[in-house]
């Protein structure tokens, strides 16, 4: 699986959009970009994933550059409950039923009132 | 309804003891996992398991063993506990649907070895 690079921490004002970048310059053609977050003392939570196209769901939007070497997770209106560590993970889709996530250090997002 | 549950939530025990952590998922998923999060907050995969294969991270000591009585349960047995085993252990489950592989995590079990 390709490695990812994320800033260690970011601040965001409550109500504003939080844009979390991720670099994955060695990503290969069959690898997906996944985002998870971990709120303090809880288990990680799936947010969104994508391959080439931009994706949006009820939690966030994922913008993937055309060359796929980087992506940005967007929380459109950050709330205090979005304070968490956000992990960007690159993972190949395999034929096996299981896959193992490799978590990096992530970005600690602090939403400030 | 809790999707992935773990018991106990907290476990304090002495070195050398044998303990188990239980995990249950009611999502109907066919694959379950165990992760370890150490004091530095690094989250690392230990095992993934479905009814066809067990994949073990090679860095996991053989004192750790997963036991699956059925598809909905994957328990973690730890023999001869050591101080370095102190960590938060997370169980997770997944079910492949097309290209969707999201994993659902339990609330964690904080293990303290004294």
């Amino acid at each position: 699986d390709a490695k990812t690079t994320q800033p260690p921490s970011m601040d965001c004002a409550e109500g504003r959009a939080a844009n979390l970048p991720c670099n994955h310059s060695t990503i290969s053609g069959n690898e997906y970009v996944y985002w998870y977050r971990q709120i303090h003392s809880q288990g990680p939570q799936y947010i969104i994933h994508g391959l080439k196209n931009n994706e949006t769901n009820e939690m966030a939007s994922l913008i993937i550059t055309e060359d796929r070497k980087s992506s940005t997770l967007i929380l459109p209106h950050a709330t205090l409950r979005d304070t968490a560590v956000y992990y960007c993970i690159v993972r190949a889709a395999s034929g096996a039923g299981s896959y193992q996530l490799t978590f990096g250090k992530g970005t600690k997002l602090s939403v400030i009132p | 309804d809790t999707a992935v549950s773990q018991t106990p939530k907290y476990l304090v025990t002495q070195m050398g003891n044998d303990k188990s952590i239980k995990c249950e998922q009611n999502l109907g998923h066919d694959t379950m996992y165990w992760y370890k999060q150490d004091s530095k907050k690094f989250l690392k995969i230990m095992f993934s398991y479905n009814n066809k294969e067990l994949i073990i991270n090679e860095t996991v000591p053989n004192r750790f063993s997963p036991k699956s009585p059925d598809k909905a349960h994957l328990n973690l047995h730890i023999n001869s506990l050591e101080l370095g085993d102190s960590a938060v252990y997370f169980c997770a489950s997944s079910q492949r649907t097309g290209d969707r592989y999201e994993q659902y995590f339990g609330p964690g079990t904080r293990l303290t070895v004294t």
Side-chain angles (χ1 to χ4, degrees):
Chain A
D1 298 336
K3 289 186 68 174
T4 61
T5 303
Q6 299 178 252
S9 64
M10 291 181 63
D11 291 340
C12 178
E14 188 178 16
R16 303 296 294 270
N19 296 280
L20 293 94
C22 179
N23 182 287
H24 31 79
S25 57
T26 61
I27 194 170
S28 59
N30 67 343
E31 290 183 315
Y32 287 75
V33 179
Y34 280 79
W35 284 84
Y36 280 75
R37 72 180 182 183
Q38 187 173 23
I39 296 171
H40 180 63
S41 297
Q42 298 181 21
Q45 177 189 23
Y46 166 83
I47 301 173
I48 199 167
H49 77 284
L51 182 63
K52 297 179 182 178
N53 300 322
N54 298 337
E55 303 288 344
T56 296
N57 62 20
E58 65 279 4
M59 289 182 68
S61 295
L62 175 59
I63 308 298
I64 303 175
T65 58
E66 194 169 340
D67 63 7
R68 303 210 321 123
K69 293 185 177 183
S70 65
S71 60
T72 301
L73 177 75
I74 301 173
L75 308 178
H77 304 287
T79 70
L80 297 179
R81 288 176 295 180
D82 292 322
T83 292
V85 178
Y86 287 77
Y87 298 98
C88 170
I89 301 167
V90 170
R91 182 63 175 89
S94 70
S98 67
Y99 74 108
Q100 299 184 352
L101 294 173
T102 301
F103 287 83
K105 297 180 181 179
T107 296
K108 181 172 174 55
L109 175 69
S110 298
V111 179
I112 300 170
Chain B
D1 290 341
T2 303
V4 182
S5 60
Q6 297 178 226
T7 54
K9 187 171 176 61
Y10 300 96
L11 181 56
V12 181
T13 188
Q14 292 184 328
M15 286 176 56
N17 285 348
D18 303 336
K19 289 294 179 185
S20 295
I21 305 171
K22 295 184 177 181
C23 177
E24 177 181 2
Q25 54 97 3
N26 63 6
L27 298 167
H29 289 170
D30 63 2
T31 305
M32 297 183 72
Y33 310 80
W34 277 105
Y35 288 82
K36 177 183 179 181
Q37 188 165 40
D38 61 25
S39 57
K40 295 183 179 179
K41 303 297 184 184
F42 289 117
L43 193 59
K44 295 182 180 178
I45 182 71
M46 300 178 71
F47 306 98
S48 62
Y49 181 81
N50 63 23
N51 58 7
K52 297 176 182 176
E53 63 178 346
L54 170 66
I55 300 175
I56 303 171
N57 185 314
E58 67 266 16
T59 65
V60 175
N62 57 15
R63 298 181 294 103
F64 291 78
S65 59
K67 298 278 195 279
S68 181
D70 55 59
K71 253 178 66 168
H73 297 83
L74 184 66
N75 303 324
L76 182 64
H77 295 268
I78 316 170
N79 295 324
S80 302
L81 277 155
E82 301 177 357
L83 292 176
D85 298 332
S86 295
V88 181
Y89 292 84
F90 290 100
C91 176
S93 71
S94 69
Q95 176 78 39
R96 182 182 181 184
T97 306
D99 69 352
R100 295 178 67 92
Y101 276 102
E102 60 260 39
Q103 294 183 11
Y104 292 81
F105 285 77
T109 295
R110 182 174 294 277
L111 171 65
T112 302
V113 182
T114 62

